[in-house]
């Protein structure tokens, strides 16, 4: 252990050209990421279709997540959800300023 | 997906007799928990000595975490750290009111 690091440190003061991904833990079949969105929707075209399960929450900001065939869900500070592998999804809105900060825990089917 | 659930919902209005543990995801070798502390230190005697690795952050509140042989670290909103399996540790302080809210991601050595 090397002391604490902060989920809200180093947030951008202006809109980012692309979303920012910071890996907080990369561990066997688990990856924990901080994602910073400033108005981004993703992917720009089509859907995410992932091999891994994903637990995700919004730590700060506002977002909208669309699940294929199930419509959109608004996510605000503290809201979390679980996206099973191959559940097609996309982000249709994120708050620009202050930035939207996500925490994602990806669980892969096998150790990597 | 059944819509979002919130990390800050249902927080206690008064001190709890014991810490509150809410399992948010229980998945193969990974467990994600919300922990609510209202002044609790844990364990009351001795140390935690876990078989699993733990990534943990403070979402709200203040805490102090002692690592055996390495002293104490203060943790406030957004601070996170990684505690390897069998790294003896204990919580020596948590803010009572408003409660201290933790998010812990436990990664077990084998699928359970």
């Amino acid at each position: 252990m090397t002391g604490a690091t902060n989920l809200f440190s180093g947030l951008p003061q202006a809109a980012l050209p692309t979303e920012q991904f910071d890996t907080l833990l990369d561990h066997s079949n688990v990856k924990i990421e901080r994602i910073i969105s400033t108005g981004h929707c993703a992917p720009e075209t089509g859907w995410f279709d992932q091999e891994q399960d994903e637990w995700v929450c919004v730590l700060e900001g506002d977002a909208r997540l669309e699940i294929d065939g199930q419509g959109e869900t608004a996510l605000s500070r503290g809201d979390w959800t679980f996206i099973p592998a191959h559940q097609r999804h996309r982000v249709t809105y994120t708050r620009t300023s202050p930035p939207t900060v996500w925490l994602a825990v990806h669980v892969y089917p096998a150790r990597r």
Side-chain angles (χ1 to χ4, degrees), chain A residues 8-65:
Chain A
F8 304 107
S9 66
L11 296 183
Q13 299 301 305
L16 298 168
T18 59
E19 287 188 299
Q20 177 178 325
F21 296 84
D22 299 305
T23 298
L24 310 183
L25 183 72
D26 196 350
H27 182 299
S28 60
N29 64 324
V30 179
K31 186 165 73 171
I32 303 179
E33 278 184 332
R34 179 181 74 167
I35 305 167
I36 302 172
S37 310
T38 55
H40 305 96
C41 300
E44 294 286 336
T45 59
W47 301 90
F48 285 119
D49 184 341
Q50 302 173 169
E51 63 161 335
Q52 77 274 20
D53 292 329
E54 180 175 352
W55 182 96
V56 66
C57 70
V58 169
L59 295 172
E60 284 293 345
D62 299 293
R64 293 186 71 84
L65 180 69

Side-chain angles (χ1 to χ4, degrees), chain A residues 5 61 70 75 84:
Chain A
T5 310
Q70 298 180 33
L75 300 172

Side-chain angles (χ1 to χ4, degrees), chain A residues 1-2 12 14 46 66-67 102 104 106:
Chain A
M1 172 156 141
T2 57
E66 183 177 4
I67 302 292
W102 309 76
H106 302 276

Side-chain angles (χ1 to χ4, degrees), chain A residues 82-109:
Chain A
F82 179 73
I83 307 169
H86 300 300
Q87 172 67 73
R88 282 153 46 102
H89 63 284
R90 61 183 170 193
V91 176
T92 56
Y93 167 77
T94 57
R95 189 182 72 183
T96 300
S97 180
T100 299
V101 182
W102 309 76
L103 185 72
V105 179
H106 302 276
V107 183
Y108 292 83

